[in-house]
Amino acid sequence: MSAAEEPVLFRTTGRVARITLNRPRALNALDHEMVRRVDAALTAWEHDPAVAAVVVTGAGERALCAGGDIRAVHDDARDGDGAASAAFWRDEYHLNARIARYPKPYVAVMDGIVMGGGVGISAHGSVRVVTERSRIAMPETGIGFVPDVGGTHLLALAPGELGTHLALTGEQIGAADALLCGLADHYLPSTALDAFLDDLADSPVPDALAGRVQPPPRGELAGRREWIDACYAAGTVEEIVGRLLAYDDPAAKEAAETLLTRSPTSLKVTLAALRRARGLGSLERVLDQEYRVSCAALRSPDLVEGIRAQIIDKDRNPRWSPPTLAEVTDADVERFFAPLGEHELGLAEPG
């Protein structure tokens, strides 16, 4: 494999170490080997006094990272025992926690598509830059899954019920809305990225940002807060859908219609995960919870069916099981949160 074909590229320029996710034809989707390589590089750089900061970017202009390799998850859940996916998530979630606690500036350039696992490798960083091309989402309910990679932690911290809306619908947001929701820190035009990255080689992050940060183009969520907060504060997904349908705003009704296309089980588990995340108190505790939920999803028919419909066959016609919200019981939801015994992720300190 030539250097250009490596799935992740590493180099050090001046005082900065660079990670480039290098699968542009796959929108830089993460696989297990990429996670391992990034973690190993962060270990080396953490103890290298010549490295003052780390920067992560994506090859090409379309995406930082569109998520994890969900085709592999599909095949493992359908044909295997789920062990490969569980091992991938174990290492990925440990990497997410490490990024959040990294002792040096971790600069994530969230240019282009940033979804699922791409959020995990960027939005836990200490310096998160978005551009006019940024499209950020946690679209898991559309494939019969639940937001992971610390996504329920991040979205639980968003103002009001914005995080609930984004988690349940999987809606894509741009730069301004990412800033509003706490998923990003700075807006730079994409034309300013090269100069910013060049300056980081010999300048502290604040100096490289100085004079380049701009107000982002106007977003959409701020103007929708009234109905989002009112509707998504409901206690159940059924009630949320009912409030959205009854609200006198076409955007609210559109959100309800979107929810009715998502996996009913995923919606209910996602709402429960978000509400519980608000009380867990740390990213590590939330990642422990997400690991239980993700492993349980491997045993749910909706994960295989959702990936089949959206990614494999692309017929966009998933047959969810159960097919309606009313048929998903509290016991069905609770099974996703059951302890894993000796197989727990174990990121959080006991007690």
Side-chain angles (χ1 to χ4, degrees):
M1 184 179 292
S2 69
E5 295 172 321
E6 291 285 345
V8 192
L9 304 176
F10 303 100
R11 77 175 191 271
T12 303
T13 305
R15 65 198 300 279
V16 169
R18 291 281 302 269
I19 302 168
T20 304
L21 306 180
N22 190 40
R23 299 180 65 201
R25 286 182 293 182
L27 299 178
N28 301 318
L30 286 173
D31 61 22
H32 201 167
E33 181 59 26
M34 293 168 72
V35 167
R36 291 192 188 104
R37 292 189 188 191
V38 171
D39 188 70
L42 291 179
T43 298
W45 293 332
E46 181 175 345
H47 303 289
D48 184 347
V51 173
V54 173
V55 177
V56 60
T57 60
E61 296 184 347
R62 296 179 61 198
L64 168 63
C65 175
D69 187 352
I70 58 175
R71 285 177 178 266
V73 172
H74 169 274
D75 294 348
D76 185 37
R78 184 190 62 184
D79 304 326
D81 60 2
S85 297
F88 167 53
W89 288 328
R90 176 175 291 274
D91 288 345
E92 184 182 24
Y93 299 175
H94 274 271
L95 177 61
N96 301 148
R98 178 174 208 167
I99 290 167
R101 308 298 182 219
Y102 204 64
K104 299 179 180 182
Y106 181 98
V107 182
V109 180
M110 302 169 73
D111 187 35
I113 295 169
V114 185
M115 297 186 186
V119 172
I121 205 167
S122 60
H124 297 298
S126 53
V127 182
R128 304 161 301 173
V129 175
V130 284
T131 75
E132 77 283 357
R133 300 187 298 210
S134 297
R135 302 303 300 169
I136 300 167
M138 296 297 292
E140 285 78 8
T141 60
I143 58 166
F145 196 43
V146 176
D148 66 336
V149 298
T152 58
H153 173 76
L154 294 165
L155 294 176
L157 295 173
E161 295 294 335
L162 293 178
T164 311
H165 170 68
L166 296 179
L168 295 182
T169 63
E171 180 180 323
Q172 296 182 27
I173 58 174
D177 291 333
L179 292 165
L180 173 63
C181 291
L183 300 174
D185 304 301
H186 307 287
Y187 172 80
L188 268 66
S190 59
T191 54
L193 289 178
D194 287 345
F196 166 63
L197 295 174
D198 287 345
D199 279 359
L200 283 175
D202 54 24
S203 302
V205 174
D207 292 351
L209 285 168
R212 294 194 170 99
V213 175
Q214 298 183 13
R218 185 176 178 179
E220 297 180 351
L221 291 181
R224 298 178 176 180
R225 278 291 301 276
E226 182 177 339
W227 64 260
I228 287 175
D229 288 353
C231 295
Y232 288 95
T236 67
V237 178
E238 290 95 329
E239 189 178 353
I240 289 171
V241 171
R243 291 187 186 186
L244 289 168
L245 288 172
Y247 207 91
D248 188 20
D249 189 311
K253 292 178 172 59
E254 183 179 341
E257 291 165 3
T258 296
L259 293 181
L260 293 173
T261 69
R262 303 306 194 227
S263 158
T265 300
S266 294
L267 290 175
K268 288 199 171 185
V269 175
T270 295
L271 183 62
L274 272 173
R275 299 276 165 87
R276 295 180 188 207
R278 289 173 176 169
L280 287 175
S282 73
L283 171 62
E284 287 80 6
R285 289 184 182 278
V286 175
L287 284 166
D288 284 347
Q289 173 178 273
E290 289 180 350
Y291 188 69
R292 296 184 199 111
V293 170
S294 296
C295 289
L298 289 168
R299 303 186 294 272
S300 167
D302 280 4
L303 179 58
V304 170
E305 174 61 10
I307 299 173
R308 179 208 65 77
Q310 302 295 343
I311 306 299
I312 308 295
D313 296 338
K314 295 185 171 66
D315 60 32
R316 308 291 192 268
N317 186 33
R319 295 178 291 276
W320 304 123
S321 179
T324 67
L325 289 166
E327 293 172 273
V328 181
T329 67
D330 291 344
D332 293 333
V333 173
E334 198 59 37
R335 278 193 285 271
F336 280 77
F337 298 90
L340 296 173
E342 63 182 15
H343 300 294
E344 289 283 348
L345 186 62
L347 272 171
E349 293 288 336

